[in-house]
Amino acid sequence: MAKEFNISLGYVVFFIAFFLLMFVIPNVAVLYSDLLWFQSLEYGSVFMTVLTTKIGIFLLATFILFSLVSANAYLADRGGNIKRKYIAIAILSAVIGLTLGGSWEIVLRYLNQTNFGVSDPIFSKDISFYVFTLPFYRLVQNFLFFVIFSSIIAITIIYLNKKEIILIKPEVAVEEEGYTTPRQEFPLTGLEVSKKAKAHFYGLMALFFLLLSWKHYLDRFDVLYSERGVIFGASYADINAFLPVLSFLVFISIITAILFLTSSVLASKAKIGTKGLLTAVVAIYILALLGTVVYPGVIQQYRVLPNEISMESEYIENNIEYTRTAYGLDDIQEVAFIPKENISMEHMSENQDIIKNIRLWDWRPLKQTYKQLQEIRSYYDFNDVDVDRYTIGGEYTQVMLSAREMDYEQLSEEAKTWVNRHLLYTHGYGICMSPVNKFTEGGLPEFFVKDIPPKSTFKNLIIERPEIYYGERTDHFIVVKTTTEEFDYPKGDRNEFTIYNGTGGVTLNSFVERLIMSTRFGDINLILSRYITPESRIMFNRNIHQRVREIAPFLLYDSDPYVVMVDGKTYWIQDAYTYTGRYPYSMPYGNQDINYIRNSVKVVVDAYNGDTIFYVIDPGDPLIKTYTNIFPDLFKKFEEMPDGFKEHIRYPEGLFNIQANVYGVYHMTDPTVFYNKEDKWVVPYEIYGRGIKQEMAPYYIITRLPEEESLEFILMIPLTPKNKDNMIAWMGAKCDKDYGKLIIYKFPKEKLIYGPMQIEARIDQDDQISQQLTLWSQYGSDVIRGNLLVIPVEDTLLYVEPLYIKAEQATMPELKRIIVSYRSKVVMEKNLDLAFSKLFEIEIKEIPPRERENKTIGELIDLALDHFNSAQNHIRKGNWTGFGEELEELERALIDMENVTRYQLYT
């Protein structure tokens, strides 16, 4: 006996040890290391708020579930031995409590909610009820349903074991010998059930139907998300058929609950029950439940469809109004735009600041060029190329830039050691920056910032802290401030090394912390390595995509964070959105659970220290107000953002793309027009790359908007009518003054304005252009068509498309030609100067060589005189070859003088 006990005890000890080793200890290590990580960012309160809420929900849900189910089990088996049942109930309660802990956001949003100040048109409740309160009620309701179902299952098992529920055989119900408790036929199951069991089941069914009445009451509000009618939201059939049936279900559920409660009392006293009445009421409930499907369908088919426009008009208006509000389109400024058709070269000269910022470089070929010219070593990588603007040399300049990050996977297999991965190759180095419209004679970008260490052509672009420890490719943990120096950057045939001098990461100043991190990452080397000292710091969650989501998982993040340079340091800016799918009457976007969205937060991440700061840019958003109430230490006011960052905030492409697509439908505010969808707008297509037709993406430009004096960095997209190629409007979002202001410039419908695909067609139909493209292709070159850009220049439109040539065996595209179109004319030249001169039929000779491009008239006159004097000297010496060469140089100088003189304002 003792031996068997020892064996059983051994199994128990082994199971407990296995459970602790496999589940408890790793989770505790992750939890504690997360706390240390949050504290290192000064967000310990954020972590503790979430953790304490999860623990609170777990304890409360576990206690309620265990107490109620156990109480029912005790009533069913009073005086019996149900210790094992309590253990099972406790395990079930703990599992459900842990599961409900994941609903912490619903609970916190409910407890800290902020009113929207807008009421729905049907029930006149503030939108906050639907966004914050209703999800919480549903959570509680579903939990209580689970409690009742669990209780029913528990007492069923108990009563079956006690044989107070016996299955009736089809032929004869046999009375068991020695059974003293009277049995009665259970009317709804056909079982033989004891008086006690019957009373107990009736009592639980009373609670079930009472809870069901609450469910049907809440179901009434879900009609605001109905998809039954012609629009999203409550339709005529929903209001006049579905809602009345739901209200009847609420009433009949309460009546059924009362009857079950009455039956429970009568059954416990062995009095005559309410079998017939109860059966009838349940039958009525089932019929009413079927009626929620049948009756609205009948009304929709035979009353609404024959008169759909008139009967749904009111509800279409609701859908239009609430959708526009939910997507931030209610304040969009609509402007009539009639492009001028008689502009000249003088108009281009007057808008030279716009022309200089026309983006000729597409990020995809430019990324390949950056890789070939500026990666320097195989272990560096340019993950993305961003578009931004800087004041350079006193001019507002649009640039493209990319961070040079460390790509450890590109190291040779021999170099992929633990020390190299986690201690040595720890960071990327510097950025590349080039203007959007400049290129060399060889078709390569000119650089404002390049090389390692970074070399800058302007003082305000000098990088003092080029190391990039946090970025888009930093996916694994590293340890800094160790006894081994980190690789800093390559310098000729040797390498420079450094020691981290920042505050990023979690300190490893004790064995416990090293043990915790070793357990978290499953890496024993964090304990064994002698390079790690008490001053060492471990950096993890370094990928900025993961980093921001770890801190604030309740926000939605734009897919394109971008690198900026402020005060000689490198940072990342990440756009974050508040969103919900619970805004009444608002049409969801695509297949996503989103029908309300705001760009309420800008996140700034320090590429060296990893400091991650959340700035609230839209304080009027009720969702961000609620999150600020929950996490007061997480968010900072936009006014606290340094001016250097404010100069680089952009309207995010992700949000703008959503708004453009929604506005394409919801610019129609007349219910009849909306019903017929007769004026739907869409984002147009373009021909890109190797002749591939693709949807245009929003793009940033610097321009001067009509009726405005100063330049503005904006995000824009053209729009065309559905199934048509002509342009009907273009949409823009301001990024400087009046940040976030949306403007739609609408073209007259009776006037043809060429859309992108119509311009692409004219390019393909141009004999000279098509012949040149064919010729390049025949010589083995790969012709890559860049993005077609529609450029608003005050009150007119230009179309610009760059062409890149890539040799068959090469990986570096070169910018070789620029296609420009105005009205119906299309030209292709080597640069914008020649293209505009040809477009406006002004004779201009070849652009001078690069070394003469920036010379003044005086310098060119001196150069011409030098060549003239040199030619005279060659004549005296009888050197006719030298004389001829100097005459050619003199001619070139005179051509330069002519171009600069005639087009001084332009060039």
Side-chain angles (χ1 to χ4, degrees):
M1 189 72 171
K3 184 177 180 180
E4 292 179 359
F5 176 77
N6 289 335
I7 293 174
S8 299
L9 181 62
Y11 280 126
V12 171
V13 171
F14 173 78
F15 175 78
I16 294 174
F18 178 80
F19 181 77
L20 289 173
L21 185 63
M22 296 301 296
F23 299 102
V24 177
I25 293 177
N27 284 312
V28 170
V30 171
L31 192 67
Y32 183 66
S33 58
D34 279 343
L35 174 60
L36 295 176
W37 183 75
F38 272 87
Q39 288 176 337
S40 72
L41 293 169
E42 299 184 353
Y43 291 143
S45 62
V46 175
F47 178 84
M48 292 307 299
T49 296
V50 175
L51 180 61
T52 54
T53 304
K54 287 181 176 181
I55 293 174
I57 294 172
F58 165 74
L59 293 176
L60 183 61
T62 301
F63 173 76
I64 292 174
L65 182 58
F66 178 78
S67 299
L68 295 180
V69 177
S70 296
N72 279 281
Y74 176 77
L75 291 174
D77 196 17
R78 188 180 305 174
N81 183 11
I82 57 171
K83 291 183 179 179
R84 293 182 179 177
K85 299 180 180 65
Y86 284 149
I87 294 174
I89 294 170
I91 294 174
L92 174 66
S93 300
V95 171
I96 298 303
L98 285 172
T99 303
L100 283 177
S103 303
W104 61 268
E105 186 181 344
I106 294 176
V107 175
L108 287 177
R109 296 206 313 177
Y110 170 72
L111 295 175
N112 296 274
Q113 61 182 278
T114 303
N115 284 344
F116 277 67
V118 178
S119 298
D120 78 272
I122 305 301
F123 302 103
S124 299
K125 287 186 173 292
D126 190 88
I127 303 301
S128 59
F129 171 80
Y130 300 93
V131 176
F132 304 125
T133 304
L134 195 56
F136 177 75
Y137 285 172
R138 289 295 195 189
L139 179 67
V140 174
Q141 167 202 291
N142 292 332
F143 173 67
L144 293 178
F145 269 126
F146 186 84
V147 171
I148 292 176
F149 286 139
S150 300
S151 298
I152 291 175
I153 292 171
I155 68 170
T156 300
I157 294 172
I158 292 172
Y159 285 129
L160 284 171
N161 287 335
K162 292 182 64 179
K163 298 185 178 179
E164 293 195 39
I165 299 177
I166 299 177
L167 295 174
I168 301 174
K169 294 183 179 180
E171 298 84 3
V172 181
V174 179
E175 183 76 17
E176 292 188 11
E177 184 177 354
Y179 192 85
T180 57
T181 305
R183 300 185 178 88
Q184 301 172 26
E185 185 180 346
F186 195 60
L188 298 181
T189 63
L191 302 175
E192 192 173 291
V193 184
S194 71
K195 176 182 65 175
K196 175 184 173 182
K198 182 178 179 182
H200 201 165
F201 277 113
Y202 278 155
L204 287 176
M205 291 303 295
L207 292 175
F208 171 76
F209 272 93
L210 190 62
L211 189 58
L212 204 57
S213 69
W214 186 36
K215 176 188 180 300
H216 292 315
Y217 174 77
L218 297 181
D219 288 342
R220 296 167 66 250
F221 301 108
D222 285 339
V223 299
L224 298 181
Y225 312 104
S226 171
E227 299 182 40
R228 188 190 314 276
V230 68
I231 46 86
F232 181 85
S235 62
Y236 180 91
D238 291 312
I239 300 301
N240 296 279
F242 187 64
L243 268 184
V245 176
L246 276 180
S247 299
F248 180 70
L249 278 173
V250 174
F251 172 75
I252 200 67
S253 297
I254 294 174
I255 296 300
T256 306
I258 294 172
L259 286 175
F260 267 114
L261 182 61
T262 303
S263 298
S264 176
V265 174
L266 294 176
S268 66
K269 297 181 179 179
K271 294 184 178 181
I272 298 175
T274 55
K275 174 182 176 181
L277 183 59
L278 192 58
T279 303
V281 171
V282 172
I284 292 173
Y285 173 83
I286 294 173
L287 289 174
L289 198 60
L290 292 174
T292 59
V293 177
V294 176
Y295 183 49
V298 171
I299 294 298
Q300 180 72 22
Q301 183 67 35
Y302 297 104
R303 179 177 295 181
V304 176
L305 288 181
N307 310 282
E308 196 165 36
I309 295 180
S310 60
M311 302 194 81
E312 298 284 22
S313 178
E314 173 187 352
Y315 309 105
I316 292 175
E317 288 180 351
N318 291 338
N319 174 256
I320 294 172
E321 177 186 351
Y322 283 79
T323 298
R324 286 173 65 98
T325 301
Y327 288 98
L329 300 172
D330 50 329
D331 292 330
I332 192 169
Q333 180 183 354
E334 298 185 353
V335 180
F337 189 94
I338 305 176
K340 287 185 178 179
E341 297 185 350
N342 57 348
I343 65 170
S344 62
M345 193 68 168
E346 182 180 357
H347 189 80
M348 296 295 100
S349 302
E350 292 172 353
N351 290 280
Q352 186 59 205
D353 47 4
I354 298 176
I355 304 303
K356 287 181 178 179
N357 283 292
I358 293 178
R359 180 168 63 85
L360 302 180
W361 283 103
D362 177 71
W363 71 268
R364 281 154 287 201
L366 184 61
K367 177 182 174 180
Q368 295 300 316
T369 303
Y370 274 10
K371 283 177 172 289
Q372 293 297 312
L373 297 178
Q374 286 293 310
E375 280 187 353
I376 312 297
R377 294 290 188 273
S378 62
Y379 41 75
Y380 287 126
D381 182 49
F382 292 104
N383 184 70
D384 189 19
V385 178
D386 300 311
V387 179
D388 203 353
R389 73 286 198 198
Y390 288 75
T391 300
I392 300 175
E395 295 185 354
Y396 198 50
T397 306
Q398 187 173 194
V399 301
M400 306 188 78
L401 68 164
S402 183
R404 187 186 290 106
E405 297 194 56
M406 174 67 65
D407 185 3
Y408 175 81
E409 299 303 323
Q410 296 301 320
L411 288 174
S412 64
E413 290 300 321
E414 296 79 11
K416 290 181 179 179
T417 65
W418 188 88
V419 171
N420 282 349
R421 180 179 179 86
H422 298 292
L423 308 184
L424 190 65
Y425 290 95
T426 57
H427 58 274
Y429 205 86
I431 66 170
C432 281
M433 179 187 292
S434 56
V436 296
N437 70 325
K438 291 187 178 181
F439 55 98
T440 66
E441 288 185 358
L444 301 178
E446 292 188 359
F447 288 99
F448 286 160
V449 181
K450 63 178 181 177
D451 296 342
I452 300 177
K455 298 176 183 176
S456 306
T457 55
F458 296 89
K459 288 184 178 180
N460 65 320
L461 299 181
I462 295 176
I463 304 177
E464 299 173 354
R465 180 59 75 186
E467 299 93 341
I468 299 174
Y469 286 84
Y470 300 85
E472 295 186 84
R473 301 298 301 270
T474 47
D475 296 324
H476 61 274
F477 77 85
I478 60 172
V479 183
V480 296
K481 291 191 175 181
T482 63
T483 58
T484 180
E485 291 184 322
E486 304 165 48
F487 166 75
D488 200 22
Y489 62 88
K491 188 175 183 180
D493 54 0
R494 62 185 181 88
N495 294 329
E496 291 291 322
F497 293 87
T498 188
I499 294 178
Y500 182 72
N501 192 34
T503 58
V506 176
T507 57
L508 297 174
N509 53 17
S510 71
F511 175 77
V512 173
E513 290 175 345
R514 293 175 68 171
L515 177 63
I516 288 292
M517 294 301 175
S518 177
T519 304
R520 177 191 178 107
F521 295 107
D523 195 333
I524 192 65
N525 291 310
L526 287 171
I527 297 176
L528 301 178
S529 176
R530 296 180 180 178
Y531 297 119
I532 299 175
T533 71
E535 288 74 35
S536 299
R537 309 177 74 92
I538 182 170
M539 296 180 179
F540 56 99
N541 293 336
R542 296 190 301 133
N543 187 301
I544 56 175
H545 296 277
Q546 178 190 8
R547 191 174 188 81
V548 294
R549 287 166 176 82
E550 288 288 336
I551 299 171
F554 44 84
L555 298 176
L556 183 68
Y557 295 93
D558 195 83
S559 61
D560 184 26
Y562 55 101
V563 66
V564 299
M565 193 175 63
V566 177
D567 297 330
K569 298 180 180 179
T570 307
Y571 300 87
W572 299 91
I573 295 182
Q574 169 75 70
D575 285 286
Y577 310 117
T578 53
Y579 71 101
T580 181
R582 301 292 303 171
Y583 202 94
Y585 265 116
S586 176
M587 173 66 71
Y589 182 74
N591 297 321
Q592 304 178 54
D593 185 26
I594 296 175
N595 69 353
Y596 170 95
I597 189 168
R598 292 290 186 274
N599 175 216
S600 296
V601 179
K602 302 286 186 181
V603 189
V604 176
V605 182
D606 188 322
Y608 187 71
N609 286 322
D611 297 334
T612 306
I613 304 175
F614 293 73
Y615 294 99
V616 175
I617 195 171
D618 184 4
D621 172 33
L623 278 168
I624 201 60
K625 286 182 179 179
T626 298
Y627 288 128
T628 303
N629 292 339
I630 299 171
F631 305 108
D633 296 331
L634 176 59
F635 298 102
K636 291 188 177 182
K637 296 180 180 179
F638 183 65
E639 291 75 16
E640 299 180 57
M641 176 184 279
D643 291 339
F645 295 118
K646 290 180 180 179
E647 293 173 0
H648 296 288
I649 61 171
R650 312 182 313 188
Y651 201 83
E653 293 181 54
L655 174 60
F656 187 75
N657 194 56
I658 291 174
Q659 291 175 315
N661 281 283
V662 172
Y663 187 80
V665 177
Y666 285 88
H667 75 92
M668 298 177 284
T669 55
D670 181 86
T672 302
V673 175
F674 185 92
Y675 173 84
N676 293 313
K677 299 293 191 297
E678 60 188 61
D679 193 25
K680 183 178 180 180
W681 300 349
V682 296
V683 175
Y685 285 83
E686 63 175 344
I687 302 300
Y688 180 80
R690 299 166 180 83
I692 300 173
K693 183 178 179 181
Q694 67 174 28
E695 185 177 284
M696 290 186 72
Y699 51 92
Y700 295 99
I701 62 170
I702 287 180
T703 189
R704 185 178 294 103
L705 296 173
E707 309 302 326
E708 295 193 11
E709 296 182 0
S710 59
L711 291 177
E712 180 87 20
F713 186 64
I714 69 169
L715 180 62
M716 70 163 288
I717 191 70
L719 296 169
T720 61
K722 185 179 181 181
N723 299 324
K724 300 289 183 180
D725 289 332
N726 61 290
M727 192 156 57
I728 193 67
W730 68 269
M731 185 175 180
K734 291 187 173 184
C735 300
D736 294 331
K737 295 178 299 183
D738 298 325
Y739 171 84
K741 178 70 176 178
L742 295 177
I743 307 177
I744 189 80
Y745 291 91
K746 303 169 71 172
F747 303 125
K749 294 184 179 180
E750 66 276 6
K751 186 177 182 63
L752 173 63
I753 306 297
Y754 287 118
M757 283 304 296
Q758 290 175 321
I759 296 298
E760 298 282 21
R762 298 191 70 84
I763 292 172
D764 292 335
Q765 294 165 4
D766 186 278
D767 291 338
Q768 292 184 354
I769 295 177
S770 59
Q771 289 175 7
Q772 183 64 65
L773 297 182
T774 302
L775 185 62
W776 279 323
S777 299
Q778 289 176 347
Y779 279 90
S781 296
D782 196 2
V783 180
I784 302 172
R785 294 170 71 158
N787 292 125
L788 175 65
L789 303 182
V790 181
I791 308 293
V793 182
E794 289 191 352
D795 47 6
T796 193
L797 294 175
L798 294 175
Y799 305 83
V800 178
E801 180 174 289
L803 288 180
Y804 310 92
I805 305 298
K806 188 177 73 170
E808 190 172 358
Q809 302 300 324
T811 58
M812 185 168 59
E814 298 175 353
L815 177 55
K816 287 300 184 182
R817 293 292 186 272
I818 300 167
I819 300 173
V820 179
S821 176
Y822 171 65
R823 296 177 63 182
S824 59
K825 191 172 183 179
V826 178
V827 300
M828 182 176 73
E829 285 295 342
K830 294 180 180 179
N831 51 55
L832 280 176
D833 297 349
L834 292 175
F836 283 131
S837 68
K838 188 174 182 180
L839 192 67
F840 296 105
E841 298 179 351
I842 295 177
E843 183 180 356
I844 181 170
K845 296 181 175 62
E846 181 71 40
I847 292 297
R850 303 299 298 179
E851 64 268 21
R852 296 181 181 177
E853 227 176 31
N854 297 320
K855 291 187 179 298
T856 64
I857 290 292
E859 291 172 333
L860 290 172
I861 291 174
D862 291 339
L863 184 64
L865 287 174
D866 288 342
H867 289 306
F868 177 78
N869 292 330
S870 296
Q872 294 293 325
N873 290 332
H874 285 306
I875 289 178
R876 296 188 190 99
K877 296 177 181 179
N879 184 359
W880 295 102
T881 301
F883 174 74
E885 292 175 351
E886 290 298 331
L887 280 183
E888 290 179 358
E889 292 297 323
L890 175 61
E891 181 184 14
R892 293 176 63 188
L894 292 174
I895 291 174
D896 295 345
M897 291 170 57
E898 179 185 10
N899 288 338
V900 173
T901 302
R902 289 185 58 189
Y903 308 110
Q904 187 171 11
L905 288 175
Y906 178 65
T907 58

